[in-house]
Amino acid sequence: MHHPSLKAFASLPAKERWFCRARLALAPLERVAARASGTALLDVGCGHGVLAALLLHEHPERRVVGIDPDARKIAWAKESVGKNPNAEFRAVTIETLAAERPASFDCVIIADVLCLIARSTWPSFLDAAFRLVRPGGRLLLKDAENDGSWRAVKALWQERLMVHVLRRTVSTGGIGFATRDELAAHVTRAGFLLDDIVSQARGYTAPHVLLTAHAPNRSA
Ligand SMILES: C[S@@+](CC[C@H](N)C(=O)[O-])C[C@H]1O[C@@H](n2cnc3c(N)ncnc32)[C@H](O)[C@@H]1O
């Protein structure tokens, strides 16, 4: 059974529709969307907008902004879920958006993006995420964790295939998974307070993990 939010992609070419279905089948994006909070949401590294479509499904009160450096994917997102007036997609960096709209999101979501960017740029990337979320707002960070398992090795080769062979995914500086302790350390260094970090690997062949954190309230 396909999630009804996939209807948003019905007008895309078959290859792109297949890609969106595969994304939803291979990653626990529904579980990520279920943890989202508030009405102003930011999907960083949104790709085609599969997660954005889930976030908007049965939530007419929400507004979702999706950003991605891959202009091809932003074009597909605009042609599909972007037709929803509550969705906005832009090919800008997180740093650019943070300068434009500081403290304007209730929830910032980063799904399977950190593993595709150079580890040296994680601090500035997460600093920008911190600037974008309003005081008390939530960060959802979904990635795969380096838990030393066969799942981690398999997931790494899968990402390499997508980036270097199929060229379906843009990597900005490297491919690699961090341990959950490393993920937590980067998030808290940026100023977030960690709520929990939970494996989402059950039912999947990749070591999915979801970290939830929040920005302190101004008075804290
Ligand atoms: C595996 S896809 C995940 C897409 C989407 N978040 C989802 O869960 O379906 C990774 C995405 O990260 C994007 N990306 C790569 N480098 C990025 C960066 N520096 N900032 C934001 N997104 C980036 C890629 O273009 C790609 O769309």
Side-chain angles (χ1 to χ4, degrees):
M1 263 296 270
H2 298 312
H3 192 277
S5 65
L6 283 172
K7 279 204 195 101
F9 303 95
S11 61
L12 296 190
K15 200 161 111 181
E16 305 307 320
R17 287 202 312 273
W18 176 86
F19 187 85
C20 294
R21 273 204 302 275
R23 204 47 220 133
L24 206 48
L26 295 175
L29 298 182
E30 287 178 60
R31 294 185 208 159
V32 176
R35 302 279 322 250
S37 59
T39 53
L41 282 68
L42 173 64
D43 180 3
V44 182
C46 60
H48 289 69
V50 175
L51 179 59
L54 280 174
L55 293 166
L56 287 166
H57 183 68
E58 293 182 345
H59 281 286
E61 79 287 4
R62 284 183 174 165
R63 234 192 111 65
V64 177
V65 176
I67 59 169
D68 200 293
D70 186 342
R72 291 171 312 173
K73 288 198 175 165
I74 288 295
W76 293 127
K78 282 184 175 170
E79 272 189 44
S80 53
V81 60
K83 294 201 172 125
N84 181 328
N86 290 344
E88 177 188 351
F89 291 101
R90 293 179 60 196
V92 294
T93 66
I94 190 170
E95 288 86 359
T96 300
L97 195 71
E100 280 178 21
R101 303 189 197 177
S104 45
F105 294 95
D106 299 317
C107 187
V108 172
I109 307 162
I110 305 168
D112 292 333
V113 177
L114 276 191
C115 58
L116 290 169
I117 68 179
R119 195 72 68 96
S120 59
T121 64
W122 285 19
S124 60
F125 187 94
L126 290 167
D127 285 349
F130 187 75
R131 289 198 298 281
L132 282 157
V133 76
R134 64 161 174 77
R138 180 173 290 182
L139 172 75
L140 294 175
L141 176 64
K142 148 80 190 77
D143 221 279
E145 63 176 320
N146 178 7
D147 59 0
S149 68
W150 65 269
R151 289 173 200 253
V153 176
K154 191 224 75 167
L156 200 54
W157 280 103
Q158 199 169 308
E159 289 301 340
R160 288 181 180 140
L161 180 74
M162 294 301 280
V163 171
H164 297 304
V165 182
L166 300 177
R167 297 188 191 283
R168 293 285 312 182
T169 304
V170 165
S171 151
T172 37
I175 307 173
F177 302 132
T179 63
R180 66 171 70 185
D181 286 348
E182 287 169 333
L183 289 171
H186 274 278
V187 162
T188 50
R189 189 217 53 82
F192 291 101
L193 303 174
L194 189 65
D195 296 313
D196 58 33
I197 179 158
V198 178
S199 170
Q200 298 291 344
R202 190 169 43 82
Y204 296 94
T205 59
H208 299 295
V209 69
L210 176 60
L211 182 154
T212 306
H214 66 278
N217 284 308
R218 250 188 260 284
S219 56

